Amino acid sequence: MLQPLKVLEQLKARLRETVASLPLDRDGGYASIILELPHGLTHAPDIAGPRFLFAHSHRGDLRAGYGIAGEWRAEGPKRLDILRAKARAVAANWQHVDPDETGFSGFGMLGLAASPNPSRSEESDLPNAIFWLPELALISHAGQAALVLTTSLPSTLDALLTRWEPLLDSVVPLLDVPAQDPLTQAHLDPGDSTPDQDDWRELVLTALDEIDQNRFEKVVLWRRLRLRGHRRFDLTRLNAALAYLFPSCQVVNIRLHGASFVAATPERLFTQRRDRVEADALAGTACRAEDADLDAEITRDLQHCEKNLREQRVVADAVAEALTHCCSHVEPPDGPRIMQLNNAQHLWSIIRGRLNPGVDVFRLTDLLHPTPATNGQPRQQAHDWLREHEPLERGWYTGTAGIVEPDLTGELWVLLRCARIDDRVADLFAGAGIVAGSDPMAEWQETGHKLAAISTALQFA
């Protein structure tokens, strides 16, 4: 295996050989160089500045971005239309040079908060919605990896080398640093939960009254738990701990400035590949047990629980109905099956469809987000009720984020099992779906199981 410094020298040499082949004098647009790395990646280093990470251990996929080559923001009901127009303009004028014939390309990140209409009093480290092209990106799949450098045009060879070589210096030597061992398990001081248990009970009972009066069929309530550590949280170790504890989840880490937004989410919003789409319906939750027989009994109960099956049907039917607006054919839901995580298990169905021509990630996001799994059903009635009754703004919790390819296909994930990390303080978020038959304290306990996804990992970070 090549030593990190040798890899760095080779990448710099390859960059100098190929950078002049970019259309540097073009008036507008973007250009990317893809440079092959000697092996697949298992992690992406955390360096100062804007950064995002999407990593899935079971699939062996990793995408990371550093710096900003292009950034577009929007908010309000038309936020996805605004960003779609920007992304289409980028895609129409985006040149790729792949001298090593990796088959990879540049990519962007699309991310948005739960609501298109944020409160002006809301403090956020992230914009309401963003389409972001990183200046340096990492991509790894099936044991192959590449580094991607992207610039806006026009530019000059000297300007690019002046910017890009220091970027390589800061990232490449860290790619082969062994994953850091977890720190000794640390105590975390619990802060307040908002809402607290009494307010939660009243909120659930109020929602159940609305359901009894047929104002909506389901609504998703959530709470925030603040934790304080005795040391500054190490995000690299946190990412590694989440990947180890929840290998079937997508680990997400996004930072523009200030605090980092972190998630270990089990739920895709969708995957689009050419004219095919897959979307998850994840609803209906039970805990896990250390005893194998008890755990199997809990699984059987989940599979036959009318309340949880009703919650699952609501979500699966809504996802399938949404896809009928952009698909020539939608298959019946595949499931429900059981998705088992270390700390919880869920009813899970996959809905597949064949897309109509011209459908892209922005159209799919508009149709599918928010799903009843995070908002409620019917969508608008649940959203309006939540806006009136929720004690806090959700921000990016239950929003969505993921990767956009140059042809505007891609994959987005629902932002669940989330935390906002700032030095020694972590605000954790988790929710529960309320349907007829829900019990306030059982739903409170469910949110506790979900909060454990991040809180357990934080003890080792």
Side-chain angles (χ1 to χ4, degrees):
M1 182 180 296
L2 291 174
Q3 295 299 311
L5 290 179
K6 187 68 172 179
V7 174
L8 177 61
E9 292 170 4
Q10 290 188 355
L11 287 171
K12 284 185 174 181
R14 197 75 169 122
L15 173 62
R16 296 186 192 105
E17 290 173 3
T18 57
V19 69
S21 64
L22 296 178
L24 298 180
D25 58 352
R26 179 185 291 175
D27 187 14
Y30 290 82
S32 296
I33 289 179
I34 298 95
L35 301 175
E36 186 173 25
L37 293 171
H39 53 77
L41 303 174
T42 59
H43 70 282
D46 183 25
I47 64 172
R51 179 233 193 192
F52 64 79
L53 166 71
F54 296 85
H56 197 290
S57 292
H58 268 180
R59 301 194 320 189
D61 289 340
L62 181 146
R63 304 279 189 116
Y66 303 88
I68 298 172
E71 175 195 343
W72 300 267
R73 303 184 180 197
E75 64 179 53
K78 298 294 184 183
R79 59 183 178 172
L80 284 164
D81 291 335
I82 294 168
L83 294 181
R84 177 191 290 115
K86 300 297 185 183
R88 284 180 172 173
V90 170
N93 295 281
W94 190 355
Q95 170 124 8
H96 290 79
V97 175
D98 185 9
D100 302 318
E101 299 183 351
T102 66
F104 291 132
S105 64
F107 54 87
M109 190 208 83
L110 173 63
L112 52 146
S115 173
N117 298 304
S119 167
R120 291 303 171 189
S121 63
E122 178 187 359
E123 294 184 8
S124 179
D125 306 285
L126 297 170
N128 184 257
I130 185 171
F131 176 57
W132 171 2
L133 294 185
E135 186 163 26
L136 185 150
L138 300 173
I139 180 170
S140 183
H141 175 71
Q144 183 185 12
L147 182 150
V148 185
L149 293 159
T150 299
T151 183
S152 59
L153 300 173
S155 187
T156 66
L157 187 149
D158 287 343
L160 290 182
L161 292 178
T162 299
R163 290 204 320 269
W164 285 354
E165 290 195 340
L167 267 177
L168 296 179
D169 289 336
S170 63
V171 172
V172 174
L174 300 177
L175 296 180
D176 283 317
V177 174
Q180 294 175 302
D181 292 332
L183 295 173
T184 303
Q185 188 173 4
H187 175 72
L188 303 178
D189 296 325
D192 294 332
S193 171
T194 305
D196 63 19
Q197 194 172 94
D198 290 338
D199 289 341
W200 173 268
R201 181 177 182 277
E202 291 304 313
L203 196 57
V204 173
L205 293 176
T206 301
L208 288 171
D209 286 341
E210 298 288 315
I211 292 170
D212 287 343
Q213 297 175 50
N214 295 317
R215 293 202 171 98
F216 42 76
E217 189 175 0
K218 174 185 177 178
V219 70
V220 181
L221 304 179
W222 68 286
R223 64 184 177 106
R224 182 190 72 185
L225 176 65
R226 176 161 289 178
L227 300 175
R228 295 182 182 274
H230 292 262
R231 59 193 178 211
R232 186 178 187 275
F233 292 120
D234 185 318
L235 291 177
T236 300
R237 284 190 168 92
L238 176 60
N239 293 337
L242 289 171
Y244 175 78
L245 292 169
F246 306 101
S248 59
C249 290
Q250 181 81 302
V251 174
V252 180
N253 193 320
I254 303 171
R255 180 184 65 232
L256 268 175
H257 56 81
S260 294
F261 185 87
V262 179
T265 176
E267 183 176 358
R268 285 180 307 174
L269 187 65
F270 63 83
T271 300
Q272 180 189 4
R273 296 287 182 262
R274 299 183 180 88
D275 66 343
R276 302 293 296 180
V277 63
E278 286 189 357
D280 286 345
L282 199 69
T285 302
C287 64
R288 299 296 307 276
E290 292 185 7
D291 179 80
D293 291 337
L294 178 56
D295 194 54
E297 181 181 344
I298 293 171
T299 300
R300 287 192 297 271
D301 289 345
L302 177 60
Q303 290 172 313
H304 296 95
C305 173
E306 180 53 36
K307 179 263 180 186
N308 282 298
L309 289 170
R310 186 185 315 118
E311 187 178 350
Q312 166 65 206
R313 284 194 297 269
V314 169
V315 177
D317 290 348
V319 171
E321 195 278 331
L323 289 179
T324 64
H325 296 278
C326 63
C327 288
S328 59
H329 174 70
V330 178
E331 299 175 14
D334 178 3
R337 62 188 76 181
I338 295 290
M339 177 186 287
Q340 290 190 320
L341 309 177
N342 280 347
N343 67 325
Q345 49 191 322
H346 307 281
L347 294 175
W348 171 38
S349 298
I350 300 174
I351 298 89
R352 299 179 177 90
R354 184 176 296 278
L355 293 164
N356 297 326
V359 176
D360 58 28
V361 293
F362 298 92
R363 174 65 173 153
L364 284 167
T365 303
D366 195 30
L367 287 169
L368 292 170
H369 182 268
T371 74
T374 60
N375 175 73
Q377 185 69 6
R379 180 199 287 194
Q380 194 58 51
Q381 288 90 325
H383 174 78
D384 292 344
W385 188 87
L386 288 168
R387 290 286 289 178
E388 181 179 350
H389 289 86
E390 284 186 323
L392 295 169
E393 289 281 347
R394 293 191 180 197
W396 275 47
Y397 168 64
T398 70
T400 184
I403 297 301
V404 180
E405 307 289 359
D407 63 356
L408 304 191
T409 64
E411 180 175 82
L412 269 70
W413 290 78
V414 182
L415 296 174
L416 305 174
R417 318 295 200 271
C418 301
R420 177 185 180 271
I421 311 291
D422 189 3
D423 196 56
R424 299 183 180 186
V425 178
D427 286 330
L428 280 59
F429 314 101
I434 310 303
V435 297
S438 290
D439 174 74
M441 289 305 99
E443 304 297 348
W444 176 270
Q445 291 169 359
E446 179 180 319
T447 62
H449 290 307
K450 293 174 178 176
L451 289 166
I454 298 288
S455 64
T456 300
L458 282 169
Q459 295 177 61
F460 299 96

